[in-house]
Amino acid sequence: MSRSRFGEPVGEQIEVCPVTQTQDIIAGKWKIIILWNLSTQTRRFNELQRLLPNISKGILTRQLRELEEDQMVHREVYKEVPPKVEYSLTPLGQSFIPILQSMGEWSKKNLVSK
Amino acid sequence: MSRSRFGEPVGEQIEVCPVTQTQDIIAGKWKIIILWNLSTQTRRFNELQRLLPNISKGILTRQLRELEEDQMVHREVYKEVPPKVEYSLTPLGQSFIPILQSMGEWSKKNLVSK
DNA sequence: CAGTATCCCACTGGATACTG
DNA sequence: CAGTATCCAGTGGGATACTG
């Protein structure tokens, strides 16, 4: 699925606005906080669900799948019973960590909690 | 309107996840790109609409109003005929510019356009 | 444990027509 | 020019029940 916007034909190339591409990846109510929770360590499905109060399994699955599609998250399945699945950041996901940190710091520094 | 999530009573205080607060502000299909377009200069309503192909007046208005509510954008109305309205970043909005830049650079460096 | 499979609903975005 | 005012449609999020 292509979620690009702002397609502008430039010769054979398509020029896409960079910040919009980023927007497309982190759009989704839980994406950022999921990445944040994976930034320090690998986590299992249930663990993530516990960390994200009020998220349902279905939604958590969908958000993780989309992050996987966008190569931000890696899903490692251990063939055991009971099943064990571990989520972690890919190199691309890791390269995004500084931005997550900036967001956290910006928020703490500039936003009064309302 | 309070859009905070993850409310956790801590004494009299409410503890809210910082990255989630940021998420709440930049959620919305056009928020980031609007901030981006205001990061270098003040812009008028129609100017913004031209810069954001395919956005309708109604939506642009709504997104701008929400950014105003969150103190990210300032709206300056000139009492003239025909009307002139200029949008610019508030100090809070300006403090967010480095993050926007990181996003743009991250995208250009790490995302192949797909 | 880590998911699917459904169904549902609210909200957000989008289109269009009208206005001070 | 810079909006409102409506109305509509799609989608994304949420709840619940079931499963390998």
Side-chain angles (χ1 to χ4, degrees):
Chain A
M1 155 187 54
S2 172
R3 279 177 282 165
S4 62
R5 289 183 277 150
F6 291 22
E8 285 279 319
V10 177
E12 290 295 302
Q13 256 305 48
I14 301 275
E15 196 68 47
V16 178
C17 169
V19 293
T20 298
Q21 278 191 286
T22 305
Q23 150 74 21
D24 287 343
I25 290 182
I26 62 178
K29 185 168 175 182
W30 305 93
K31 298 276 181 72
I32 293 181
I33 187 79
I34 289 173
L35 294 173
W36 180 251
N37 278 297
L38 294 177
S39 68
T40 52
Q41 59 198 283
T42 289
R43 299 205 187 262
R44 301 181 58 174
F45 186 86
N46 266 3
E47 203 180 347
L48 281 173
Q49 204 182 0
R50 258 181 294 107
L51 289 165
L52 276 29
N54 309 327
I55 194 174
S56 67
K57 286 169 183 291
I59 297 302
L60 179 54
T61 302
R62 194 199 293 168
Q63 304 265 307
L64 284 167
R65 290 291 182 283
E66 289 175 13
L67 286 169
E68 242 189 298
E69 259 185 63
D70 288 330
Q71 328 249 49
M72 296 290 279
V73 163
H74 172 70
R75 178 167 174 264
E76 183 76 34
V77 183
Y78 295 85
K79 294 248 166 194
E80 323 174 340
V81 178
K84 172 179 171 182
V85 178
E86 286 191 337
Y87 292 91
S88 58
L89 294 187
T90 61
L92 179 62
Q94 285 170 26
S95 71
F96 196 75
I97 293 180
I99 298 179
L100 294 170
Q101 281 170 336
S102 311
M103 287 174 144
E105 280 157 31
W106 176 81
S107 170
K108 278 193 277 191
K109 197 170 302 173
N110 298 290
L111 303 181
V112 262
S113 47
K114 342 174 191 184
Chain B
M1 156 187 55
S2 172
R3 278 176 283 165
S4 62
R5 289 184 275 150
F6 290 23
E8 286 278 318
V10 177
E12 289 296 301
Q13 256 304 46
I14 300 276
E15 195 69 48
V16 177
C17 170
V19 293
T20 298
Q21 278 191 285
T22 305
Q23 151 72 23
D24 287 343
I25 289 181
I26 61 178
K29 186 168 175 183
W30 305 92
K31 298 275 181 74
I32 293 180
I33 187 79
I34 287 173
L35 294 173
W36 180 250
N37 278 298
L38 293 178
S39 67
T40 52
Q41 57 197 285
T42 288
R43 299 201 188 266
R44 301 180 60 173
F45 187 86
N46 266 3
E47 203 180 347
L48 281 172
Q49 204 182 0
R50 259 181 292 107
L51 289 166
L52 275 29
N54 309 328
I55 195 174
S56 67
K57 285 170 183 292
I59 297 303
L60 179 54
T61 301
R62 195 198 292 167
Q63 304 265 308
L64 284 167
R65 290 291 183 283
E66 289 175 12
L67 287 169
E68 241 189 299
E69 259 186 64
D70 288 328
Q71 329 248 45
M72 296 290 279
V73 162
H74 172 70
R75 177 166 174 265
E76 183 77 32
V77 183
Y78 296 85
K79 293 248 167 194
E80 322 175 342
V81 179
K84 172 178 171 184
V85 178
E86 287 191 336
Y87 292 91
S88 58
L89 295 187
T90 61
L92 179 62
Q94 285 170 25
S95 71
F96 196 74
I97 294 180
I99 299 179
L100 294 170
Q101 281 169 337
S102 311
M103 288 173 145
E105 280 159 30
W106 176 80
S107 170
K108 279 193 274 191
K109 197 171 301 172
N110 298 289
L111 303 181
V112 262
S113 59
K114 337 172 193 183

